[in-house]
Amino acid sequence: MAHLLMVESWVGSMSRLLPRAIRESGHEFTFLTRDLHHYLRAAPEGTAHPLLAARHVLTADTNDTDSLLSLVERLHTTLGFDGVITSCDYYLPTVARIAGRLGLPGPSAEAVESACRKDATRRVLEAAGVAGPRYAVCADWARTAEAARHIGYPLVVKPVDLCAGMYVRRVDDEGGLLDAFRALADFPVNARGQRRSPVVLLEELLDGPEFSVETVSFGGAAEVVGVTDKSVGGAPAFIETGHMFPAALAPKDAEAVCETALLALKALGLDGVVAHTEIKLTTAGPRVVEVNPRPAGNRITELVRHVTGVDLAAAFVDVALGKRPDLRRRDTGLRSAAIGFLVPDTAGTLVSIEGGDAVWEEPDVLEVRLAEPGEHVKAAGSNNEYLGHVMAADTEGPGARDRVEALLAGLRPRVVIA
């Protein structure tokens, strides 16, 4: 039995999948957080969050990396950690530094920091000749406006250090750019209390569909587990409205997308990671959107597991322990699996979601999760405001996405506007 240290976590699906993977692999973990209430609030009423079923639950200032490193060294002498892990992007660099300090398995801190900072990723990939959009990193409004005129509208404005599509916006003119710039400036601290970088990333707007490549890197070699497609809505935001695995791609296009993702991982020097690399397949060829040195969110890992039998959460645990993961596929009887999200477009209080019971009765449905009546609803501006999701499968071919979209069309949220 191995003992992992988990430093913080998302409160979404991976916060449940990762403890399950650790437990089912016969291991245990200690959970370290700065705010237990963050996780208590995320659990349904009357239940305990699975993260709090850890062998030890400890509190410390996880945002003060230097003092945290000293604390973890002392804990290590007593508790004996075999690996260190997190599912939360904001703590991936911290975990890499802990692994380096304790001599535990894991990617280099430099590689993880470069992958987690969108501006650093752009610079590294550009230097390595890996295709991406034209871009500019801007520290003030004058530079931002000048760079936008040089790149040309429409373009995409991004923070360099936020997740889930937060504050990522399409802008078509200087007025829209100024609004996006000011919105970012008014959000100086992220949801975990960490002060953000004030710089802004501008990128040309890429055409074409978007995909993600799910990979596992171990022992200096990266293996592609598969390609997932992505649907996006909510303009001018970029909200993920659904995914299907495997993507319905021609073999030539799938090969090009995968090759680009592997080149990005190599350029960043990422090894000992489960990665989720987002790629746009433009008319000029694949272009890297971003590289995430952790498993995919939004239940994509479950789509992969349903179709291939490969558990990417378990692979994440294995590589954190320095163990070669089992990526052998098995026939699950499913040829595609898809998820679609219920995205609110108005703010208020949720009264009901009509049609939910009928969806559960469909034979090809794998999951249905819907928000409860009485929940406060925000008009979606990122991937953090869903009202729920439906997951379904196809045993014959790539029909899972169409099936999910048909099921979502039968759901009717009733929101009382605030």
Side-chain angles (χ1 to χ4, degrees), residues 143-357:
R143 169 62 180 145
T144 302
E146 178 187 6
R149 289 190 291 269
H150 178 71
I151 295 172
Y153 295 98
L155 49 77
V156 181
V157 179
K158 293 182 177 181
V160 298
D161 51 6
L162 290 176
C163 308
M166 292 182 68
Y167 292 91
V168 178
R169 295 292 183 269
R170 169 181 170 147
V171 295
D172 294 287
D173 53 38
E174 192 163 298
L177 178 63
L178 181 58
D179 290 342
F181 182 89
R182 286 173 171 168
L184 268 176
D186 289 340
F187 192 73
V189 177
N190 69 24
R192 298 306 181 97
Q194 299 169 335
R195 183 156 292 277
R196 294 188 47 254
S197 168
V199 301
V200 173
L201 179 62
L202 300 184
E203 295 178 354
E204 69 171 312
L205 181 68
L206 297 171
D207 64 356
E210 188 168 336
F211 304 91
S212 64
V213 182
E214 322 310 333
T215 56
V216 180
S217 303
F218 183 82
E223 180 171 341
V224 173
V225 177
V227 181
T228 311
D229 77 7
K230 182 193 305 284
S231 56
V232 178
F238 294 84
I239 300 171
E240 296 178 359
T241 59
H243 305 278
M244 185 173 76
F245 183 91
L249 266 174
K252 181 179 178 181
D253 289 335
E255 182 180 358
V257 166
C258 292
E259 181 182 358
T260 300
L262 293 174
L263 288 172
L265 295 175
K266 182 178 180 180
L268 288 162
L270 286 168
D271 190 28
V273 297
V274 177
H276 168 72
T277 303
E278 297 176 353
I279 306 280
K280 275 270 197 176
L281 186 56
T282 75
T283 52
R287 297 290 184 269
V288 176
V289 176
E290 62 183 43
V291 180
N292 300 281
R294 43 81 180 157
N298 268 353
R299 308 291 285 174
I300 290 173
T301 57
E302 288 299 275
L303 301 181
V304 173
R305 185 179 63 83
H306 281 300
V307 175
T308 69
V310 175
D311 187 338
L312 287 173
F316 192 33
V317 172
D318 285 340
V319 297
L321 292 170
K323 176 184 174 184
R324 184 173 297 280
D326 183 1
L327 302 180
R328 290 173 296 178
R329 296 166 181 260
R330 60 183 176 84
D331 187 356
T332 66
L334 303 182
R335 297 298 171 257
S336 65
I339 188 168
F341 300 98
L342 200 57
V343 182
D345 56 9
T346 57
T349 302
L350 181 66
V351 175
S352 64
I353 300 178
E354 298 176 1
D357 292 340

Side-chain angles (χ1 to χ4, degrees), residues 88-94 109-121 159-163 268 270 291-294:
C88 181
D89 297 55
Y90 299 140
Y91 296 96
L92 288 166
T94 300
E110 180 183 5
V112 173
E113 287 165 3
S114 293
C116 289
R117 282 274 304 217
K118 294 179 176 66
D119 53 340
T121 300
V160 298
D161 51 6
L162 290 176
C163 308
L268 288 162
L270 286 168
V291 180
N292 300 281
R294 43 81 180 157

